[in-house]
């Protein structure tokens, strides 16, 4: 149904939220308890501890989760193929698939695929620059 297609495809992506959640939990549990104790001794509230201690230490994990989400959204063909067949919902990979295999226009699909790769790489590099993934602050 056209009215519920977008919602159904979006709900199919919901289970993928478990991966970033596990990454965040693992990173939070690896933070040394001495940092929390020293912040409490300095008089920091729970909100201040989260804003000034926990979130800056999660910078690499947040960047990694954003990269995983962005690349996942760019390359999702399987869920759209299974749920709607690309009739009510379409993204660039589905458009490439239809151009190549349904319309028999392989040159156009190849150009779109090249654009998709360049777009994906530029998104990843932009996210790495924003979150400074892999760079230490020290």
């Amino acid at each position: 149904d056209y009215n519920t297609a977008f919602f159904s495809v979006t709900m199919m992506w919901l289970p993928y939220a478990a991966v970033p959640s596990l990454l965040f939990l693992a990173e939070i549990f690896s933070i040394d308890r001495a940092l929390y104790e020293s912040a409490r001794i300095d008089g920091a509230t729970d909100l201040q501890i989260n804003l000034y201690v926990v979130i800056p230490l999660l910078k690499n994990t947040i960047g990694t989760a954003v990269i995983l989400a962005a690349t996942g959204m760019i390359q999702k063909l399987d869920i759209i193929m299974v749920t709607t067949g690309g009739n009510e919902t379409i993204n660039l990979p589905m458009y490439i698939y239809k151009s190549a295999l349904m319309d028999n226009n392989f040159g156009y699909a190849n150009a779109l695929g090249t654009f998709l790769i360049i777009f994906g790489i530029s998104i990843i590099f932009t996210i790495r620059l924003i979150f400074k993934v892999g760079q230490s602050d020290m």
Side-chain angles (χ1 to χ4, degrees):
D1 182 21
Y2 179 77
N3 296 324
T4 60
F6 179 76
F7 181 73
S8 66
V9 169
T10 304
M11 287 297 109
M12 289 295 292
W13 289 337
L14 194 59
Y16 294 105
V19 173
S21 298
L22 290 174
L23 288 173
F24 291 135
L25 283 174
E27 190 71 23
I28 288 171
F29 286 132
S30 71
I31 296 173
D32 189 12
R33 294 290 158 207
L35 292 173
Y36 293 111
E37 292 173 13
S38 63
R40 290 226 188 272
I41 290 171
D42 288 341
T45 64
D46 287 338
L47 178 64
Q48 290 171 328
I49 291 172
N50 287 331
L51 285 177
Y52 301 115
V53 176
V54 176
I55 292 178
L57 291 173
L58 291 178
K59 177 187 65 161
N60 281 332
T61 307
I62 292 170
T64 302
V66 171
I67 287 173
L68 287 172
T71 56
M73 295 300 161
I74 289 173
Q75 57 92 24
K76 281 295 164 215
L77 173 68
D78 53 349
I79 290 176
I80 292 176
M81 180 76 78
V82 169
T83 55
T84 66
N87 296 325
E88 284 79 22
T89 55
I90 194 164
N91 63 355
L92 189 54
M94 182 57 115
Y95 186 65
I96 292 169
Y97 170 79
K98 284 188 171 189
S99 294
L101 299 178
M102 305 277 186
D103 299 339
N104 223 13
N105 194 349
F106 292 102
Y108 183 61
N110 193 7
L112 288 173
T114 304
F115 170 77
L116 181 64
I117 290 169
I118 292 169
F119 179 69
I121 290 171
S122 65
I123 289 291
I124 290 171
F125 280 120
T126 303
I127 293 169
R128 287 193 66 194
L129 286 175
I130 291 171
F131 289 101
K132 297 181 178 120
V133 175
Q135 300 173 8
S136 74
D137 293 330
M138 295 178 207

